[in-house]
Amino acid sequence: MNRSTDPRMQADVLAPEADADFLVQQAALVAAARSDSSRVARSVMGERFGAIQAERTERDNREFFVLTDAQGKQMNLWLDAVPMPTGMIANSVANTTSNHYIVHVSDRLPSEHLTRVLAHEVGELVAVRDRSSQGLTPVRESLLEQGADISDRHELSSQDHGRIGELNWLADRAADPQLSGQERAEARFELSALLDHSGLRPVEAMTQGDGFRAQEQAARRRFAASAPFLSAEAAVLVDELARPIEQLDPADASALQASRDAALVAQRQVEAFIGRREMTMPMPGYAQNGVPYPRDSLEAAAPQWAEYRAQVSDHTVGTLQQEGTDKGLPRRQVVIGGGASLAGRNPDALLVDAVGRWHLDPGAGIVQSADQDRDLRQWMGVDPYQAVAKPGERVPIEAVRLWEDQLATQGPVVNGHAQLRLGQDGLEAEVQPFDRDGNPSGAALRVACDGTPSIATGLTPEVVPGMPRGANGVESRGEAVRLISERLRELESAGVTGAEELRTRLTEADREGQDTAALLKTLESSALKDALAAGLAEGPAARMENCLTILDATQKWESAREAAPGRALMGDEVAENRFRPGDAKHWIVAGSGGTGVANAEIILKNDPDARVTIIGGAPPAALTHQVQFPAMRKLYEASEGRLTFVEARVGAIETFEDENGQTSFRVPYTEGDPPQRKELRGDGYVASLGRTNPLPSAVQTLANEVRDQGGQISGDLLFDKDDQYIGYGLTFRTKDGQEHRVDVDGAASWQLPREIFPPEEGLQGRLNEMGGRALPAETGNAAPGFSPIARQSALKARAVAAEQAGDANAVQRRTEIPDRWKRPEPAAESTSDLAPSPGPEPAPTLAPTAPQREPAAEIPKQPATPPAPKPAPGRGAPDAHLWQMGVPARKSSSTAPTQPQQPPPDQQRPGPSRGPGLGD
């Protein structure tokens, strides 16, 4: 439902009660949804309804519902009440891959609206499931909307089916003899008002002639398309009430007029509160003429847009160089990093992005299906269904690359890396451009930062094998050096001889990039090594010992990489296509999480002779709900026999020389009961054991400068006024009292740097719990995933724009997760079977049964910016504009992107028998 067609319902959830106890509200809403779910499902599905039963997960005792239709087909339904953006009433996720469907309602939703909202969501999700099971792409344009184009269309969208679910539910209430007369009348009047919004009644006055007759004809066509799905009670009421207001009886006419008046007032309130802005950014995924790219053209269009982006980058670099010569440092708002965070792209900001991850990934695409990522239309403005043949298929990598390049080139962009540094007048960005092969090109540029720089550099680095875990764990060489340096500073303050010298030598060696063997040699040569843990309490002493352990593990890893070049890799090297198929016959992938599984798939896909063994803990639950993991196991494990899983804990890397004198790898482990010691051997090794939590590399130099001068760094979490997480902020305080802020969003924002947010305080764990509640494993997604990051970045763009416009509360800086994200205690104990609500007895429970262009010879010095195509009417889903809300209209810029020498191909608008993504 997202935003209801009824503006009065939107207005009811605009702002929270100041003294509201949201945990109590959440528990009450979930309890009410549970008690009413049987009747809601029955009224929505009618004769198709079979039964609904409550069950709980074995692992964590979470409740869900198994909804069975009259044919015995089941769907798992999850319900929760959580914080949502202003005006949003509900949100649903359809995981047609593993048959799980998640419904979230706003915890601001008044209880009187709950059942109607549930009816909409159930109707919509059943429709999504039905079309997906038939391999049918969803109907994009809704029919049941006042003013929607009718022409000869008769198919209903999933939103239309949600609206029919509302009609059926309201009709059920209006006919329920166990309700009071007032309650039945209210349901009747709500249904009547919904006919206006659904276009099932003409709203023009009968005296308006042609206008009235056109609406009346459209209403009849809509009714004809809807009739097969209306309950008997709803069909009767619609037939009775879907008349011009002039023909209704006085009571119905009076109620309808009051509803229209209230809706007009509410709509003004909603629009004023949400603050819609006029946008000029074209939607990504569309050609220059405004027609969506057909699926079969993506492979050719993606490299053309990559070349276009490279041309824009060249022009931007030239402009910045010229400005630096003429005016001193150019001043820009600076954004470092891209990916899905480009959903919040400000076209006036300078984007510095190294076109990594998805542009380099040799895999098939993101691991979710178009069904699972259907809300990308709402938050990024792209339609994932255009990129697939069937809605349950993975979104291909070419589509992701094209979307990102189109968003990146909405404004000035430099393909490259950037480091933030202290400047004479605030922060500066040192920008290193890359050439088309991804190598540094030319001298670095200096840009003065205007406002708060933003960083979205994606997933953080991975850990090496042998990382000490637990309460006193140390996750990386960098953390070990930092903790040892801090301890040496304490010893220095206590007057210990040689502490300052050792700290300086160790820090310089680390910053210079010397290998870990050199760092260990520096420590071993000092008499202070044994003093590091001396006199400390048990926990801090154990952490000091773990610093030496991680340094030793890192040294072993570096030695293995030197002894077996190209065959001892970090997982990200595989994901970024920095490996050679055929270098090894048997790869060991250490780590069974999402990254390890994706890397195994890449190796198996690119080398048909390779074998892969994944060793690690049990795969995360979310993997079983994705498209990639089950299909991968079926193909490579069950069918081809080239994939094996071993459940064990992995230690530091071990090497040996095989019978041919080649360096190979072994992983000792125990298995069975009683435990038996075994050993896994392979000639290739990929470390995918999890990620570190450091400061983003783009601010590491800045952090060193501030600390070396005696300054400090602090951090806070960023939320919008609706308690939606939009990243974290860093404050760099110099010794002379100046403060410089940097914001971090995107996937990196879900890995809080341990040196700023100490792990012993547990904030990272609570952030993970919040992310897991917002996106349960059953969605097949996770907070740092592509679609969730697009949503987060769009919300951040809106909040930042509101803050810049004067709303002091638009961005909340906090030290803790909002209480609303804590899980409430259940309002009542659940039983295994849902008691039927008053009404007809339910049916008995059934058993579940184009070639790349040549580089342009010359970039024009003053290229004209091509006009942004206007979105085609009805092209987006409801609220598809949200991805660009808060982004100001395009201003003239000296770094306006150049038009491609040969623009991406214009697509012909498809005929009525052929639509994008449907094939011939």
Side-chain angles (χ1 to χ4, degrees):
M1 190 174 221
N2 292 325
R3 295 175 186 270
S4 170
T5 54
D6 187 345
R8 296 170 303 165
M9 200 180 295
Q10 294 184 49
D12 281 347
V13 295
L14 279 179
E17 296 287 341
D19 57 350
D21 188 334
F22 282 108
L23 294 185
V24 172
Q25 278 185 228
Q26 291 173 9
L29 283 167
V30 172
R34 180 186 181 282
S35 65
D36 289 328
S37 59
S38 179
R39 182 171 176 182
V40 168
R42 186 183 305 111
S43 69
V44 171
M45 299 178 68
E47 294 180 355
R48 296 183 62 191
F49 177 74
I52 188 167
Q53 182 176 348
E55 296 189 5
R56 287 188 176 273
T57 57
E58 293 182 6
R59 185 173 60 88
D60 51 10
N61 201 37
R62 288 178 298 127
E63 185 181 59
F64 65 100
F65 305 90
V66 179
L67 177 59
T68 308
D69 66 20
Q71 284 74 45
K73 294 180 180 179
Q74 294 185 329
M75 57 190 295
N76 301 308
L77 191 64
W78 299 76
L79 303 173
D80 201 359
V82 298
M84 284 192 177
T86 292
M88 283 191 75
I89 292 168
N91 187 51
S92 58
V93 178
N95 189 345
T96 56
T97 298
S98 62
N99 200 33
H100 288 268
Y101 301 83
I102 292 82
V103 174
H104 283 168
V105 298
S106 170
D107 61 0
R108 298 174 182 173
L109 182 71
S111 57
E112 60 265 26
H113 296 319
L114 175 64
T115 50
R116 178 177 165 184
V117 170
L118 286 178
H120 181 107
E121 298 302 318
V122 171
E124 181 174 328
L125 290 174
V126 169
V128 171
R129 182 200 65 170
D130 289 348
R131 287 191 69 87
S132 185
S133 67
Q134 300 172 58
L136 299 176
T137 301
V139 178
R140 293 188 178 90
E141 278 80 32
S142 293
L143 199 65
L144 300 186
E145 287 183 0
Q146 192 66 253
D149 177 39
I150 293 293
S151 62
D152 294 326
R153 294 191 301 121
H154 61 276
E155 287 190 304
L156 300 177
S157 69
S158 58
Q159 291 84 4
D160 291 334
H161 282 282
R163 214 150 290 154
I164 290 173
E166 292 182 70
L167 291 170
N168 288 345
W169 170 249
L170 293 172
D172 183 80
R173 288 182 59 82
D176 188 351
Q178 298 196 27
L179 297 181
S180 68
Q182 180 178 350
E183 289 174 315
R184 294 198 302 273
E186 287 175 353
R188 177 186 180 93
F189 296 153
E190 282 189 51
L191 185 148
S192 180
L194 184 56
L195 297 179
D196 269 11
H197 305 301
S198 302
L200 289 166
R201 172 199 290 124
V203 294
E204 289 275 9
M206 295 180 68
T207 57
Q208 292 303 305
D210 291 345
F212 168 79
R213 284 189 290 274
Q215 287 191 354
E216 184 180 40
Q217 183 181 21
R220 289 174 179 168
R221 288 182 177 178
R222 292 189 178 99
F223 178 77
S226 307
F229 306 99
L230 292 171
S231 65
E233 294 84 0
V236 170
L237 264 186
V238 171
D239 184 61
E240 183 179 340
L241 295 173
R243 303 176 182 179
I245 192 170
E246 297 92 336
Q247 294 181 354
L248 295 177
D249 68 40
D252 288 328
S254 177
L256 178 58
Q257 189 58 56
S259 174
R260 289 177 174 178
D261 293 342
L264 184 60
V265 172
Q267 184 63 38
R268 290 170 180 164
Q269 178 186 0
V270 169
E271 290 185 352
F273 192 92
I274 294 174
R276 299 190 181 191
R277 296 164 180 253
E278 181 181 353
M279 302 302 160
T280 60
M281 293 173 68
M283 291 171 66
Y286 291 78
Q288 295 290 344
N289 61 355
V291 176
Y293 280 106
R295 174 173 46 87
D296 56 7
S297 72
L298 291 174
E299 190 172 353
Q304 292 175 351
W305 272 97
E307 174 58 25
Y308 172 55
R309 173 171 171 159
Q311 292 181 27
V312 175
S313 174
D314 290 344
H315 176 65
T316 302
V317 169
T319 301
L320 293 173
Q321 289 173 334
Q322 187 62 45
E323 286 188 29
T325 302
D326 297 343
K327 310 172 184 176
L329 289 186
R331 179 169 291 275
R332 294 286 187 279
Q333 180 183 345
V334 175
V335 176
I336 303 172
S341 66
L342 291 169
R345 165 75 155 117
N346 185 336
D348 291 320
L350 171 63
L351 172 67
V352 184
D353 179 31
V355 287
R357 188 59 180 99
W358 295 114
H359 285 76
L360 303 175
D361 193 319
I366 58 180
V367 297
Q368 290 82 26
S369 68
D371 276 337
Q372 290 171 303
D373 282 342
R374 65 190 185 122
D375 61 350
L376 278 172
R377 294 186 73 179
Q378 180 176 357
W379 300 110
M380 199 181 216
V382 302
D383 184 355
Y385 291 111
Q386 293 172 357
V388 296
K390 296 180 180 179
E393 293 180 349
R394 293 167 64 176
V395 178
I397 201 74
E398 293 84 6
V400 177
R401 292 169 180 165
L402 184 144
W403 296 340
E404 290 187 6
D405 287 341
Q406 286 186 307
L407 287 169
T409 52
Q410 301 291 353
V413 59
V414 173
N415 291 344
H417 280 156
Q419 278 278 347
L420 295 178
R421 312 194 64 151
L422 290 174
Q424 295 182 347
D425 185 23
L427 294 182
E428 295 176 3
E430 186 176 82
V431 180
Q432 175 60 65
F434 287 176
D435 61 21
R436 283 162 171 75
D437 294 324
N439 300 314
S441 174
L445 307 169
R446 284 279 186 134
V447 177
C449 296
D450 185 14
T452 302
S454 182
I455 294 175
T457 44
L459 296 171
T460 55
E462 295 171 293
V463 301
V464 301
M467 177 191 76
R469 301 176 186 273
N472 299 302
V474 180
E475 64 177 21
S476 66
R477 162 179 151 161
E479 183 177 21
V481 172
R482 176 176 59 82
L483 292 173
I484 293 173
S485 297
E486 290 174 358
R487 175 59 176 157
L488 289 171
R489 195 182 294 276
E490 292 174 0
L491 296 176
E492 178 186 338
S493 299
V496 176
T497 304
E500 179 182 9
E501 178 189 358
L502 179 58
R503 179 175 61 81
T504 300
R505 289 172 57 202
L506 194 64
T507 301
E508 288 179 349
D510 183 52
R511 292 183 184 178
E512 290 171 359
Q514 296 184 25
D515 61 27
T516 308
L519 270 66
L520 284 169
K521 185 176 180 180
T522 299
L523 285 170
E524 293 288 349
S525 65
S526 171
L528 292 179
K529 177 187 174 184
D530 294 335
L532 292 175
L536 294 177
E538 183 178 351
R543 182 160 291 177
M544 278 294 104
E545 293 295 334
N546 283 335
C547 286
L548 301 178
T549 300
I550 188 63
L551 288 177
D552 182 65
T554 304
Q555 189 272 329
K556 289 179 179 177
W557 175 250
E558 292 173 356
S559 296
R561 287 171 64 85
E562 184 176 354
R567 292 187 290 113
L569 303 171
M570 300 302 293
D572 286 341
E573 293 179 286
V574 176
E576 295 176 359
N577 207 18
R578 288 183 282 152
F579 82 106
R580 291 182 303 180
D583 274 4
K585 296 178 180 179
H586 179 203
W587 290 89
I588 298 171
V589 174
S592 56
T595 302
V597 167
N599 291 331
E601 181 191 47
I602 290 171
I603 292 171
L604 292 166
K605 174 178 175 287
N606 286 274
D607 185 355
D609 298 322
R611 292 187 299 114
V612 173
T613 300
I614 298 177
I615 184 167
L623 291 185
T624 62
H625 299 285
Q626 295 173 351
V627 182
Q628 175 207 35
F629 186 62
M632 170 186 167
R633 296 198 71 165
K634 181 179 179 181
L635 174 61
Y636 296 118
E637 184 182 25
S639 178
E640 297 185 3
R642 296 195 291 133
L643 174 64
T644 306
F645 284 84
V646 174
E647 192 167 326
R649 186 163 181 171
V650 180
I653 193 169
E654 297 186 17
T655 61
F656 70 97
E657 284 193 7
D658 64 15
E659 61 275 11
N660 298 318
Q662 176 180 261
T663 299
S664 293
F665 311 96
R666 63 184 167 207
V667 181
Y669 66 97
T670 57
E671 187 178 63
D673 187 19
Q676 298 179 7
R677 186 174 176 83
K678 297 185 178 182
E679 186 176 89
L680 175 66
R681 295 189 172 200
D683 56 345
Y685 191 104
V686 179
S688 301
L689 290 162
R691 300 200 174 268
T692 59
N693 292 46
L695 281 168
S697 59
V699 298
Q700 192 60 63
T701 299
L702 172 62
N704 293 340
E705 290 175 337
V706 169
R707 285 191 172 126
D708 289 347
Q709 296 177 14
Q712 295 181 327
I713 310 170
S714 61
D716 44 38
L717 303 182
L718 303 180
F719 290 84
D720 66 11
K721 62 173 60 177
D722 298 313
D723 291 328
Q724 304 297 302
Y725 181 63
I726 55 176
Y728 68 81
L730 298 170
T731 301
F732 298 83
R733 296 180 180 87
T734 60
K735 189 175 182 179
D736 59 5
Q738 295 184 39
E739 290 191 354
H740 307 284
R741 282 196 60 86
V742 177
D743 290 345
V744 180
D745 71 318
S749 69
W750 288 89
Q751 300 287 126
L752 301 178
R754 288 158 64 102
E755 60 187 284
I756 309 300
F757 303 92
E760 58 268 21
E761 294 180 1
L763 187 58
Q764 179 68 66
R766 293 190 291 279
L767 182 67
N768 293 343
E769 290 172 4
M770 181 189 74
R773 186 177 178 197
L775 281 166
E778 291 74 20
T779 63
N781 224 316
F786 189 84
S787 181
I789 290 303
R791 177 187 186 276
Q792 174 182 313
S793 297
L795 289 174
K796 182 191 175 189
R798 183 167 68 179
V800 169
E803 183 181 52
Q804 293 173 347
D807 185 348
N809 298 316
V811 177
Q812 309 275 333
R813 291 167 174 82
R814 300 181 177 177
T815 58
E816 190 49 83
I817 305 296
D819 287 343
R820 291 170 68 189
W821 282 108
K822 296 178 181 176
R823 287 194 182 274
E825 293 296 325
E829 281 296 318
S830 300
T831 56
S832 59
D833 294 304
L834 295 178
S837 302
E841 287 294 321
T845 303
L846 300 176
T849 55
Q852 188 168 350
R853 302 185 309 274
E854 292 295 321
E858 181 179 359
I859 304 296
K861 294 183 178 180
Q862 295 181 335
T865 303
K870 295 183 179 180
R875 185 172 70 191
D879 302 315
H881 63 283
L882 288 182
W883 70 282
Q884 52 189 18
M885 283 180 62
V887 180
R890 184 67 167 273
K891 300 174 183 177
S892 60
S893 171
S894 56
T895 53
T898 176
Q899 187 173 2
Q901 300 294 312
Q902 180 181 343
D906 257 353
Q907 305 298 332
Q908 297 299 315
R909 192 173 296 276
S913 62
R914 181 178 176 217
L918 295 175
D920 292 328

